[in-house]
Amino acid sequence: MRDVCVIGLGLIGGSLLRAASAAGREAWGASASPVDAAGFDVSTDVEAALRRAAEQDALVVLAVPLPAVRDVLRQVGSCAPNCLVTDVTSVKSPVLAAARSAVPDARFVGGHPMAGTAESGWAAGNEALFRGAAWVTCVEDDTDLGAWAEVARLALDVGAHVVPLTAAAHDEAVARISHLPHLFAEVLATIGAQGGPVALALAAGSFTDGTRVAGTRPELVRAMTEGNRDALLPVLDEALGRLGAMRGSLASTGGLAATIKSGHEGAQALAHWRAQTASGIRLDLTAPDARAGLRAVGDRGGRITAITEDVAIGEVL
Amino acid sequence: MRDVCVIGLGLIGGSLLRAASAAGREAWGASASPVDAAGFDVSTDVEAALRRAAEQDALVVLAVPLPAVRDVLRQVGSCAPNCLVTDVTSVKSPVLAAARSAVPDARFVGGHPMAGTAESGWAAGNEALFRGAAWVTCVEDDTDLGAWAEVARLALDVGAHVVPLTAAAHDEAVARISHLPHLFAEVLATIGAQGGPVALALAAGSFTDGTRVAGTRPELVRAMTEGNRDALLPVLDEALGRLGAMRGSLASTGGLAATIKSGHEGAQALAHWRAQTASGIRLDLTAPDARAGLRAVGDRGGRITAITEDVAIGEVL
């Protein structure tokens, strides 16, 4: 099992350091600001941690916030230019572009564990954070599948399942199912608060559910939404188009049937999706069309659940 | 304790019939379609139930869906024109207007228990549904406070607390904290489903929370949102204005700081609101300014928790 060097020791990085250690790997970490991580091998010397990664041929995991990724990639380029590198940030295309320019010799594979809580920081982390979570692991046309398999094995080792997607497919999907929901929650919270004490006193289930993620730290929401601007803008326009048509219909005929029917069908689609039975699949990672095969699994909403030798084992719905 | 006649035996009406009976009141009900309500005094003869209400001077509770309220009010006008009447529908101004024209002699007091589940029908009801819920009980300039106290006592008897508001204040607040959240959930569910299998496979916390109420039966969402059109349109315009400004900012500077800061403050305002300590208040219901006093409690987000003789006891924050 390859050693793991985690740069950035917040909620995700801190949980990954714990989980990789618990899985029996040699793992160390560094972050610019000190953390109280008794029992773990951590420091504030990022460059020393990266030089050790180069010596031990470790997998380097970038777990810093998106705005800091470019600077850390530059440090990787100077201290560990030939290492395997992955990241855990919530937007994949901008990180891929930055990695291609900063560390051309590194074998970079983008990643995104779909796990998190409203809390943050080392103290909020725990080794079980990734159990049962989807971990998107990017497959581009030029992805080294050996490197991809190393990143996927780490995700599997810490209890996640792996979803192979291109960076672009990931970013489009999370704009729909994470970034837009966050922005809707922010607007709902503002409009509720504008209603003053009466609105706050009457707020119940639909408002509490609809605004829950507005409690997330603003800098985290900014990093993910602003960082995914290219994929988010068309989704936001789709939402504005639907809301505008709805507003027009309410003002003219008074009817909201089309909006509500469509939304209810969407909710049922999700429920049906989750109730489906999966079929098993096996993919030879040395086959010439292995990249296309992996991406087809992700595109159908499937997952990889194990990797043995050169075979990826998973399921599709 | 005044007898109770419940017209409409779905989730809310059925739960109220059970809860009023459990509180020791004589209670009977009727609904146009038969329900399997062994042990309860129910029938499909709405007019007979209303004539009995007239004979026993009962409190008549309209628990039919909003689109059916006008027809039932007409039946009340012919069978029980002098009874106390209240309702439990989710929009208050249209019902008040309908009651004023259909039953001018009845003492009508609008009501809205803020309780419910995604389920519906008699079988989904239970006598504990209203425990701990806010029950808006309308106070207009011409409201008979004797009638108001009778409706409030029923709400208190079944475990709710009473929030005194005008119909207009209620409708404005629920547009913000219930109807807009429902419509946002419908649009989010549609946009998620448009993302196909990848989006459905990656959907997690923020999407599940943000779309939960899109699972509500479409006819219920239509009734409450379309029925509250006058109060909902300006709130929808406020939302569209904020979303449009946000879109412009993301497209031009790439920044979403203002939207996210405001939403986070809104979420904190709700959390702080819920953490406050209440102070007790007492209101003499026979005082000349009693209506204004009650409305001031509701306008400050307060509640009435008991009524003894002619005194309303409650708390404000």
Side-chain angles (χ1 to χ4, degrees):
Chain A
M1 291 195 298
R2 193 176 289 264
D3 301 341
V4 179
C5 167
V6 182
I7 306 299
L9 297 169
L11 173 70
I12 303 291
S15 297
L16 184 59
L17 183 63
R18 292 174 175 92
S21 302
R25 295 196 186 223
E26 181 173 338
W28 62 95
S31 69
S33 39
V35 297
D36 180 12
F40 293 92
D41 186 355
V42 306
S43 79
T44 55
D45 191 340
V46 169
E47 301 205 343
L50 289 171
R51 281 192 296 268
R52 178 173 164 196
E55 283 158 24
Q56 299 183 212
D57 196 18
L59 170 58
V60 175
V61 182
L62 310 182
V64 294
L66 186 64
V69 162
R70 199 173 290 268
D71 283 346
V72 177
L73 275 168
R74 225 171 276 131
Q75 291 176 294
V76 174
S78 66
C79 303
N82 302 308
C83 272
L84 286 182
V85 182
T86 187
D87 75 309
V88 296
T89 49
S90 53
V91 181
K92 301 274 56 76
S93 295
V95 175
L96 178 64
R100 281 184 170 150
S101 87
V103 287
D105 293 331
R107 286 177 294 163
F108 176 80
V109 176
H112 180 205
M114 309 287 289
T117 72
E119 294 168 277
S120 55
W122 167 271
N126 81 82
E127 70 175 59
L129 185 69
F130 308 107
R131 282 189 204 144
W135 192 311
V136 174
T137 308
C138 290
V139 182
E140 312 301 330
D141 287 341
D142 60 354
T143 296
D144 177 323
L145 286 188
W148 181 87
E150 292 278 2
V151 174
R153 277 192 197 98
L154 174 61
L156 295 168
D157 270 5
V158 299
H161 57 263
V162 170
V163 178
L165 290 172
T166 61
H170 167 276
D171 289 352
E172 209 274 340
V174 295
R176 290 181 186 275
I177 54 83
S178 172
H179 302 169
L180 187 67
H182 273 88
L183 294 177
F184 268 32
E186 305 287 6
V187 171
L188 274 183
T190 296
I191 287 179
Q194 289 286 324
V198 176
L200 294 176
L202 297 185
S206 63
F207 188 75
T208 304
D209 286 347
T211 60
R212 196 180 324 271
V213 293
T216 310
R217 279 198 304 140
E219 57 272 36
L220 297 180
V221 183
R222 283 190 64 184
M224 68 175 137
T225 54
E226 294 174 356
N228 199 25
R229 170 178 160 172
D230 290 347
L232 182 54
L233 270 173
V235 170
L236 200 46
D237 285 338
E238 190 179 331
L240 279 165
R242 288 184 180 277
L243 287 165
M246 173 178 88
R247 195 268 175 213
S249 179
L250 182 64
S252 58
T253 66
L256 293 172
T259 297
I260 293 167
K261 178 169 181 285
S262 169
H264 190 250
E265 287 169 357
Q268 288 186 307
L270 181 64
H272 291 160
W273 172 264
R274 290 179 174 173
Q276 284 178 97
T277 306
S279 338
I281 47 117
R282 296 173 62 88
L283 278 168
D284 178 355
L285 292 175
T286 64
D289 61 349
R291 289 184 195 85
L294 284 170
R295 289 201 297 242
V297 171
D299 289 344
R300 291 171 62 187
R303 51 174 67 177
I304 302 301
T305 53
I307 297 180
T308 58
E309 303 287 326
D310 288 326
V311 177
I313 298 165
E315 55 192 31
V316 290
L317 291 165
Chain B
M1 291 197 298
R2 193 176 289 264
D3 300 342
V4 178
C5 168
V6 182
I7 307 299
L9 297 170
L11 173 70
I12 303 291
S15 296
L16 183 59
L17 183 63
R18 292 174 175 94
S21 303
R25 296 198 187 221
E26 183 174 334
W28 62 94
S31 69
S33 39
V35 296
D36 180 12
F40 292 93
D41 187 355
V42 308
S43 79
T44 55
D45 191 339
V46 169
E47 301 205 342
L50 289 171
R51 281 191 297 270
R52 179 173 163 196
E55 283 159 22
Q56 299 184 210
D57 197 17
L59 170 59
V60 175
V61 182
L62 310 183
V64 295
L66 186 64
V69 162
R70 199 172 291 269
D71 285 344
V72 177
L73 275 167
R74 226 171 273 130
Q75 291 175 294
V76 173
S78 65
C79 302
N82 301 308
C83 273
L84 286 182
V85 182
T86 186
D87 76 308
V88 295
T89 49
S90 54
V91 181
K92 302 273 55 74
S93 296
V95 176
L96 179 63
R100 280 184 170 149
S101 87
V103 288
D105 294 331
R107 287 178 294 163
F108 176 80
V109 176
H112 181 206
M114 308 287 291
T117 72
E119 294 169 276
S120 55
W122 167 272
N126 80 83
E127 69 177 58
L129 186 69
F130 308 108
R131 282 189 205 143
W135 192 310
V136 175
T137 308
C138 290
V139 183
E140 312 300 331
D141 287 340
D142 60 354
T143 296
D144 178 323
L145 285 188
W148 182 87
E150 293 277 3
V151 174
R153 276 191 198 98
L154 175 61
L156 296 168
D157 270 6
V158 299
H161 57 264
V162 170
V163 178
L165 290 173
T166 61
H170 166 276
D171 289 353
E172 210 274 339
V174 295
R176 289 180 187 274
I177 55 83
S178 172
H179 302 169
L180 187 67
H182 273 88
L183 294 177
F184 268 31
E186 305 286 7
V187 171
L188 274 184
T190 296
I191 287 178
Q194 289 287 324
V198 176
L200 294 175
L202 297 185
S206 63
F207 188 75
T208 304
D209 286 347
T211 60
R212 195 179 325 272
V213 293
T216 310
R217 280 200 302 140
E219 56 271 36
L220 297 180
V221 182
R222 283 190 64 183
M224 68 175 138
T225 54
E226 295 174 357
N228 199 25
R229 170 178 160 173
D230 290 348
L232 182 54
L233 270 173
V235 170
L236 201 46
D237 284 338
E238 191 179 330
L240 279 164
R242 288 184 181 278
L243 286 165
M246 173 178 87
R247 195 272 175 213
S249 180
L250 182 63
S252 58
T253 66
L256 293 172
T259 296
I260 293 166
K261 178 169 181 285
S262 169
H264 190 249
E265 287 169 357
Q268 288 186 308
L270 181 64
H272 291 159
W273 173 264
R274 290 179 174 174
Q276 285 178 95
T277 306
S279 336
I281 47 118
R282 296 172 63 87
L283 279 167
D284 178 355
L285 293 175
T286 65
D289 63 348
R291 288 184 195 85
L294 284 170
R295 289 201 297 242
V297 171
D299 289 343
R300 290 172 63 188
R303 51 174 67 178
I304 303 300
T305 52
I307 296 180
T308 58
E309 303 287 326
D310 288 324
V311 176
I313 296 164
E315 54 193 33
V316 290
L317 290 166

